[in-house]
Amino acid sequence: MAVPPEYLDLAYRLGGRPYLRGFDQIELSLSHTGDVMAVGLSRIGRIGVDVEPAELPVRLDLLETQVFTPAEARELAELPEGERTAHALRLWTLKEAYSKALGQGLRFGFKEFGFRQGRLSAPDGSRVTRDEWGFATYPVMDRFLLSVACHNAGLSTAGDTSVGTMLDQGFLSAMTDTGQQ
């Protein structure tokens, strides 16, 4: 963005969604746990990130009744027992990333949507989008699991993110005015 970090102003919208003041064209998402922090930035649409310890102990019985859709619970039950916890954690982080992208966080009813074969699904497992959302999960430092939800709103993907094109001109003037005439 061609601006020193000390000039960036992180703020929060009503409901808690973070943003960079003056950079309205950039979407932002944050997540942290332990000694890792994830920052998601996007110029093409909403973004959400969630990071959790890969070995996070989970209560599958609680997740099945309070978080997973019926289709996800069935899919989980069909997996070998040794794969269930890792799959459940992947689903959890995907749900958090998606709800953060929507600006809802944990206020969003996690049983109201699910994931099937890497795509957003209805509680019954049927597909609900036309690929305008992308989802992925990555291992981080062999100790964490990072999930990302990205929405493609069809916005320009021009490569120029310099201050002169991305910042509000009034904000740019205030930030670059050194008081010298």
Side-chain angles (χ1 to χ4, degrees), residues 34-154:
D35 59 352
V36 69
M37 180 173 190
V39 178
L41 298 170
S42 174
R43 291 182 295 112
I44 63 169
R46 292 282 183 107
I47 187 167
V49 296
D50 185 54
V51 63
E52 299 290 344
E55 300 300 322
L56 184 70
V58 295
R59 295 234 357 235
L60 292 177
D61 58 329
L62 288 178
L63 291 175
E64 287 177 11
T65 60
Q66 298 180 12
V67 174
F68 296 145
T69 65
E72 289 171 325
R74 282 191 304 274
E75 182 179 314
L76 198 62
E78 293 171 0
L79 290 174
E81 191 169 327
E83 296 176 22
R84 290 180 188 163
T85 300
H87 188 71
L89 186 57
R90 181 177 167 273
L91 289 173
W92 172 263
T93 58
L94 284 168
K95 285 176 178 261
E96 269 210 57
Y98 179 60
S99 65
K100 286 180 178 182
L102 295 177
Q104 295 297 307
L106 295 174
R107 294 183 308 269
F108 199 42
F110 280 16
K111 289 185 75 73
E112 302 301 314
F113 67 98
F115 290 93
R116 187 161 187 210
Q117 299 171 341
R119 296 177 190 255
L120 191 62
S121 66
D124 66 0
S126 62
R127 190 170 167 182
V128 295
T129 65
R130 297 179 313 272
D131 294 329
E132 66 271 19
W133 282 94
F135 302 94
T137 303
Y138 306 95
V140 176
M141 301 182 323
D142 295 325
R143 296 186 356 242
F144 300 96
L145 196 62
L146 169 70
S147 284
V148 180
C150 296
H151 180 248
N152 185 345

Side-chain angles (χ1 to χ4, degrees), residues 25-38:
Q25 301 90 341
I26 297 177
E27 292 288 335
L28 169 70
S29 182
L30 304 171
S31 182
H32 62 87
T33 186
D35 59 352
V36 69
M37 180 173 190

Side-chain angles (χ1 to χ4, degrees), residues 152-164:
N152 185 345
L155 302 175
S156 172
T157 58
D160 185 4
T161 59
S162 65
V163 172

